[in-house]
Amino acid sequence: MVGKASSPVLRDNNVLSLTALVYSLSMGIQAVLLPLLALAAGYSKPDIGILTALSAVTQLVSRMASAKAMRYVSDKLLVACACIGMAISGFLVAWSAFVVVFVISELIQGLARGVFWTAASTHVVRQDGPSVGRMAAVNFLSSAGLLVGPLLAGFLARYSLSTAFYCAGFVAVLAAIPAMTLRKEPPFSKEGPKMTRDIWNQREVRLGSWAGLTAGSWRGILNSYVPVVLKSVGESYFMVGLMVAIANSASVAGAGITGFLNKRSPVKVFALGVVGAAAGTALVGVTARSVIITVVLLAIGGIGAGLLQTLGPVLAAHGVSQQHKGDAIAVAGSFRAGALLIAPFFTAMLLNTLGMTGALFLVGGVLGLPVLAARDVLTPASRRSPRS
């Protein structure tokens, strides 16, 4: 039974979850259609990867800037502003696919994404009570938006890519409405944050950062090269949207079960998520011509990424004091944002020498390396040192 003290927190979290759902619906439409719009406009495959990675540039910067901004303004204002930014991004490419407009749209979208997730995650973890379940609820509905978005994108794209982006922009505007009704938490103390080095010394922050790295890389590949791979083997726009939606539905499931699994061992959940996301990335190019096997791999990757996306910010925030939770989330989030930039860019650089299949296989292998940070749960108990 929920006590009186926690009821306002839960109601507020429901509003934030609704905001994340509508916001992610817009993002889901744009994520699957941006590379397809670039392909239709005549951009090369390496160019598509580079253009998609541009949004991660501003997302990386905005992650750290958001932590500083929350020392002056409320996190709910940043959430609402991020929704408007996502809307502007969609309206721009609906108007024109010219390269300058495309670049500006990607940069604005990255800014909106970085601000939204840093501010929203901070809003969750700074309130009273266990935050894993509340974060799981926000990510669950967010992932649901990313599930429905590609399906809607595939439907709308059959008529007009421009119309699809106008719809995405309008949906993002709607997301700002519930955002403005969130509880107004006071800005953090203006006292300077801990040095990043000191924050990084906390194991929870490191694990949260590696979780963001792998989850962000999986998302970056899904938003850039997975639609291209599927389209290159002859799949229709609708089928591309459907298969991306399946990956996102698996991410919904991963986010939804994180709260339950986390009660057993957060580090084991971390290891499971890393392996799943890495495998789902490495093998999708190999199996692209087999719809069934590709769907299974996309689902495995989605579950792994969903686990990591939910667990990462909570782990990072639990490793620091109340006044530095925003800074810890920003540090962990910067790894996710950096991965959104590096993964598509690194893949683009490998295409000429390894081809699409080889490039994705190598990138997926690299994504699995953070599992070494959980080596204490991979080592048999009889072989562990007393300190492990």
Side-chain angles (χ1 to χ4, degrees), residues 1-8 10:
M1 185 174 179
V2 179
K4 292 182 179 180
S6 61
S7 294
L10 293 177

Side-chain angles (χ1 to χ4, degrees), residues 14 22 61 75 87 107 129 131 135 148 168 170 176 180 194 262 317 321 326 339-340 345 353 357 365-366 383:
N14 290 337
V22 181
V61 174
D75 45 40
L107 293 175
S131 54
M135 186 68 74
V148 177
F170 178 70
M180 291 306 299
K194 283 185 177 180
N262 186 65
S321 66
L340 286 168
F345 185 79
T353 55
T357 299
V366 173
R383 295 176 56 189

Side-chain angles (χ1 to χ4, degrees), residues 171-191:
V171 169
V173 171
L174 293 179
I177 298 174
M180 291 306 299
T181 69
L182 291 168
R183 293 176 64 184
K184 186 176 181 180
E185 298 289 343
F188 289 115
S189 170
K190 292 184 176 62
E191 177 186 354

Side-chain angles (χ1 to χ4, degrees), residues 304-368:
L307 292 173
L308 296 175
Q309 179 180 332
T310 303
L311 187 64
V314 174
L315 274 173
H318 282 181
V320 298
S321 66
Q322 179 71 20
Q323 286 299 315
H324 300 297
K325 290 186 182 296
D327 301 301
I329 289 176
V331 169
S334 67
F335 275 73
R336 187 177 191 276
L340 286 168
L341 166 65
I342 294 172
F345 185 79
F346 185 48
T347 304
M349 296 300 99
L350 295 173
L351 287 178
N352 289 334
T353 55
L354 298 180
M356 184 69 76
T357 299
L360 290 179
F361 186 82
L362 179 58
V363 170
V366 173
L367 297 193

Side-chain angles (χ1 to χ4, degrees), residues 186-247:
F188 289 115
S189 170
K190 292 184 176 62
E191 177 186 354
K194 283 185 177 180
M195 294 175 60
T196 302
R197 181 177 57 198
D198 294 334
I199 294 176
W200 183 252
N201 284 337
Q202 305 302 316
R203 190 191 186 206
E204 293 92 338
V205 176
R206 293 198 300 272
L207 287 175
S209 298
W210 298 135
L213 178 71
T214 301
S217 297
W218 178 84
R219 176 62 61 188
I221 296 299
L222 184 71
N223 289 351
S224 56
Y225 285 113
V226 168
V228 173
V229 168
L230 297 177
K231 189 62 181 174
S232 67
V233 296
E235 300 294 352
S236 66
Y237 282 135
F238 180 77
M239 183 58 70
V240 171
L242 176 61
M243 294 177 76
V244 172
I246 290 173

